[in-house]
Amino acid sequence: MAGERRWIPENLDPARPSPARIYDYALGGGHNLASDRAVFEQLEKIQPNTRQMAWSNRAFMRRAVVFMVDSGIRQFLDLGSGIPTVGNVHEIAGKADPACRVVYVDVEEMAIAHSRLLLDGVPNTAVVEADFARPGDVLDHPETRRLLDFGVPLGLLAVASAHHIPAEVDVYGAFDRYREVVVPGSALAISHMTADFERVQAKQMVETVQAIAHNPACLRTRSEITDLFGDFELAEPGLVPPSKWRPDISHTSGGGEEDGMWAGVGVKVRRP
C-alpha cells in the first residue's frame, strides 16, 4: 500500500522481524509488517495473554509520565524507546504542557529509522541512535544536549527496555550513571520482564523472539530490578506488576502476575 510505504525506511528487509514493531503490533499500532505479526502469533500460542501484557505495560508508562508531569517534570529521556507510536511519551506529556521535551533513544537500526520518519517535523522531540547501556553515548549526544537541561528535574524512562541488556553487560553501572547526572526532583520509571511468575512462561517467550529476531534479553528478579533504582525512593505502591501501579478507571483489567513484569517509579530526593 502506498500509504504504508511512507513510514517504511528504504533498504529495509521486510522478512526480518523487529522487536519494536512486534510490540507496536501488540499495542494495535499500524507500524508493523507480516514478519512481525507472524512472531506475535507464535508468542500468543505460548501466552494467550500477550496482547494484554503489552497494554498493561503501555498503560503503566502513561500513568508514570502523568505522575512525572504532575510532579513538575517537563523533559524526558526515553531509554530504549522502540517506535514512538500508540500512546507515546511526547503525546502524553504534551497534553499536559505542549512545551514538554522528549529525547527518544534506541539502538535498533529499524526502530531508529522508523522513529525518524514518524517524528520528522514534530517539535520538542529528538531521536538518538545509541546503546543506552553506554550512558556517555546518550548523555553526550548533541541532540540530547540540545533538547535537555540537566540542571532541572528530568524524567528517565526505561519501559520494557532494560531486559534487552544482556547479563554480561553492566546494567547497574549504566543506571548508576543516569541517576547520578539528574538533579533532585527527577524520576525514573522502569518496567522489566521477569521469570518470577511461572505461568507467564516469559523464558519461552523471550527465547522465541531471540531465535527469530536475534534480540538479546535478560529476565531479572524483583530484587535485581529493585537495585536498578539505586537510592531513588520508590513512589507508592513500590515495585509491582504494571497493572497494579496506581491503576485508574481507564485501565482496570489485568491480574498482576499475568503482566509478566515488575514496574515502578523512583524519585531522586534531596539528601542533607
Side-chain angles (χ1 to χ4, degrees):
M1 292 175 57
E4 183 181 69
R5 295 299 306 177
R6 287 198 300 267
W7 65 268
I8 300 177
E10 296 180 3
N11 304 319
L12 176 121
D13 179 3
R16 178 187 170 193
S18 159
R21 294 197 311 261
I22 295 168
Y23 187 50
D24 173 77
Y25 179 63
L27 293 172
H31 299 88
N32 49 80
L33 302 175
S35 57
D36 311 304
R37 297 189 284 271
V39 175
F40 182 80
E41 289 170 2
Q42 292 187 48
L43 295 177
E44 280 195 309
K45 290 177 182 177
I46 299 169
Q47 175 49 256
N49 195 48
T50 298
R51 194 177 294 278
Q52 183 59 53
M53 290 169 61
W55 274 110
S56 294
N57 181 67
R58 198 62 162 186
F60 159 73
M61 186 192 78
R62 177 185 60 79
R63 297 194 300 273
V65 170
V66 170
F67 169 85
M68 293 181 188
V69 171
D70 288 346
S71 301
I73 291 171
R74 295 294 184 270
Q75 53 178 355
F76 300 86
L77 183 60
D78 191 350
L79 304 169
S81 54
I83 301 173
T85 64
V86 189
N88 51 65
V89 176
H90 70 272
E91 287 183 347
I92 297 167
K95 286 181 180 179
D97 186 343
C100 284
R101 306 181 304 280
V102 181
V103 172
Y104 292 103
V105 181
D106 209 289
V107 72
E108 187 187 350
E109 182 181 358
M110 284 184 281
I112 287 292
H114 292 316
S115 297
R116 285 177 174 158
L117 286 174
L118 291 167
L119 294 173
D120 184 32
V122 178
N124 297 322
T125 65
V127 180
V128 168
E129 182 175 7
D131 181 354
F132 78 88
R134 299 170 59 92
D137 294 350
V138 175
L139 299 171
D140 296 332
H141 195 281
E143 285 294 273
T144 304
R145 290 295 176 182
R146 177 183 69 84
L147 210 57
L148 303 182
D149 179 358
F150 286 87
V152 297
L154 184 146
L156 296 166
L157 302 164
V159 178
S161 58
H163 49 244
H164 292 301
I165 299 179
E168 60 270 21
V169 175
D170 182 13
V171 64
Y172 299 103
F175 275 81
D176 285 348
R177 177 61 178 153
Y178 288 115
R179 295 194 315 273
E180 176 185 272
V181 299
V182 298
V183 299
S186 298
L188 167 64
I190 297 174
S191 64
H192 194 300
M193 287 192 70
T194 183
D196 289 351
F197 310 121
E198 291 186 11
R199 61 181 175 179
V200 173
Q201 301 187 75
K203 187 173 185 292
Q204 188 176 351
M205 293 175 71
V206 164
E207 289 174 347
T208 298
V209 175
Q210 282 181 310
I212 300 172
H214 309 292
N215 193 258
C218 178
L219 299 174
R220 295 181 174 90
T221 65
R222 187 175 188 275
S223 176
E224 290 171 329
I225 298 165
T226 299
D227 288 344
L228 295 173
F229 290 95
D231 62 353
F232 276 32
E233 291 189 0
L234 283 170
E236 292 294 335
L239 196 66
V240 295
S243 63
K244 300 302 183 184
W245 196 87
R246 302 193 177 200
D248 55 28
I249 58 173
S250 68
H251 184 78
T252 56
S253 59
E257 289 189 5
E258 289 84 355
D259 295 344
M261 292 187 176
W262 292 113
V265 177
V267 177
K268 185 169 187 174
V269 299
R270 190 175 301 278
R271 304 294 180 183

